[in-house]
Amino acid sequence: DTAVSQTPKYLVTQMGNDKSIKCEQNLGHDTMYWYKQDSKKFLKIMFSYNNKELIINETVPNRFSPKSPDKAHLNLHINSLELGDSAVYFCASSLKGEGLRTEAFFGQGTRLTVV
Amino acid sequence: AQSVTQLGSHVSVSEGALVLLRCNYSSSVPPYLFWYVQYPNQGLQLLLKYTTGATLVKGINGFEAEFKKSETSFHLTKPSAHMSDAAEYFCAVSARGGSNYKLTFGKGTLLTVNP
């Protein structure tokens, strides 16, 4: 059983389109994240949700809108895609109760290519 | 604010040689430190973590790391490299993000293993 699963794994789309990435975790975690990995492999947090509530929004353009229908799912919708949005997007989850000890479990990533 | 610096974006070793990947942290509070590994086209997998207690931490696949407060370091080592260790390695520190917690990653070190 995959702990954190994302779909699709690859996404190629044209500039200006709107696309969504889905994420589901079956670990019973209460906190979920979206991270962006750029072409230089640098990983940066975008959003964090706890029990469906948005907690962290790290100065991400408002073309990016996360949605959490329940604590096991966190989807990422991107409007008006730009070339600079090309990256690998990782979903992750953790247990808030672990505090600073918390380790994040990552999905396999979605490679988004905007052409 | 918490941050980590990984010295060396690329480390190349021969099979059977010692692996040493360097990580220094900056933290205003006792740090919680992690090493993750990313194999090509894969998500991130936790290698090991330091929270409290023993400063020498053992992880999976024969890796270990030593927390040295005086040097603000958390270097990753493996006595004998294997071809399968070739991957990108990320050091991370846990920090508060609002009422949640988040991982702040270093820029990664690509490990290549030569036969």
Side-chain angles (χ1 to χ4, degrees), chain A residues 1-12:
Chain A
D1 264 350
T2 303
V4 182
S5 59
Q6 298 177 227
T7 54
K9 186 164 181 168
Y10 299 97
L11 186 51
V12 181

Side-chain angles (χ1 to χ4, degrees), chain A residues 6 8-11 21 34-46 64 76 78 83-91 106-114, chain B residues 38-44 90:
Chain A
Q6 298 177 227
K9 186 164 181 168
Y10 299 97
L11 186 51
I21 306 171
W34 280 109
Y35 281 84
K36 179 181 179 180
Q37 186 174 47
D38 64 22
S39 59
K40 296 186 177 178
K41 301 279 187 174
F42 183 54
L43 274 157
K44 193 172 189 307
I45 191 168
M46 299 173 69
F64 291 78
L76 183 65
I78 316 169
L83 291 176
D85 297 332
S86 296
V88 182
Y89 293 85
F90 286 100
C91 178
F106 285 79
Q108 295 293 293
T110 296
R111 182 175 296 275
L112 171 64
T113 304
V114 183
Chain B
Q38 183 180 24
Y39 298 104
N41 298 315
Q42 300 280 321
L44 280 79
F90 294 93

Side-chain angles (χ1 to χ4, degrees), chain A residues 4 6 15 20-22 25 31 33 35 37 44-45 47 50 56 58 61-62 70 76 86 88 91 97 99 105 107 110:
Chain A
V4 182
Q6 298 177 227
M15 275 195 305
S20 293
I21 306 171
K22 295 187 175 183
Q25 55 94 5
T31 302
Y33 312 82
Y35 281 84
Q37 186 174 47
K44 193 172 189 307
I45 191 168
F47 300 104
N50 180 254
I56 297 172
E58 293 274 324
N62 56 17
D70 56 62
L76 183 65
S86 296
V88 182
C91 178
F105 292 77
T110 296

Side-chain angles (χ1 to χ4, degrees), chain A residues 9 31 33 35 37 41 43 45 48-50 55-56 58 90 96 99-104 106-108, chain B residues 32 34 36 38 41-44 46 49 51-52 88 90 94-97 99-103 105 107:
Chain A
K9 186 164 181 168
T31 302
Y33 312 82
Y35 281 84
Q37 186 174 47
K41 301 279 187 174
L43 274 157
I45 191 168
S48 171
Y49 269 74
N50 180 254
I55 302 296
I56 297 172
E58 293 274 324
F90 286 100
K96 181 180 177 180
L100 286 168
R101 291 178 175 78
T102 191
E103 65 191 75
F106 285 79
Q108 295 293 293
Chain B
Y32 292 80
F34 306 78
Y36 281 83
Q38 183 180 24
N41 298 315
Q42 300 280 321
L44 280 79
L46 181 70
K49 63 180 179 180
T51 54
T52 57
E88 190 89 27
F90 294 93
S94 179
R96 287 194 71 104
S99 62
N100 259 5
Y101 301 91
K102 63 179 181 179
L103 291 173
F105 288 88
K107 294 190 174 181

Side-chain angles (χ1 to χ4, degrees), chain B residues 5-105:
Chain B
T5 302
Q6 291 183 241
L7 301 173
S9 59
H10 185 196
V11 170
S12 182
V13 300
S14 298
E15 193 173 18
L18 171 71
V19 175
L20 171 61
L21 304 181
R22 299 176 188 272
C23 173
N24 287 88
Y25 69 88
S26 171
S27 176
S28 56
V29 297
Y32 292 80
L33 297 159
F34 306 78
W35 275 100
Y36 281 83
V37 60
Q38 183 180 24
Y39 298 104
N41 298 315
Q42 300 280 321
L44 280 79
Q45 180 182 3
L46 181 70
L47 273 179
L48 50 81
K49 63 180 179 180
Y50 170 77
T51 54
T52 57
T55 56
L56 182 62
V57 181
K58 294 188 185 300
I60 61 171
N61 301 338
F63 283 93
E64 61 183 36
E66 187 170 10
F67 171 67
K68 291 188 176 180
K69 186 177 177 181
S70 61
E71 299 177 8
T72 61
S73 68
F74 189 56
H75 301 333
L76 182 70
T77 60
K78 182 173 180 177
S80 176
H82 193 272
M83 297 294 289
S84 60
D85 294 326
E88 190 89 27
Y89 290 80
F90 294 93
C91 183
V93 63
S94 179
R96 287 194 71 104
S99 62
N100 259 5
Y101 301 91
K102 63 179 181 179
L103 291 173
T104 299
F105 288 88

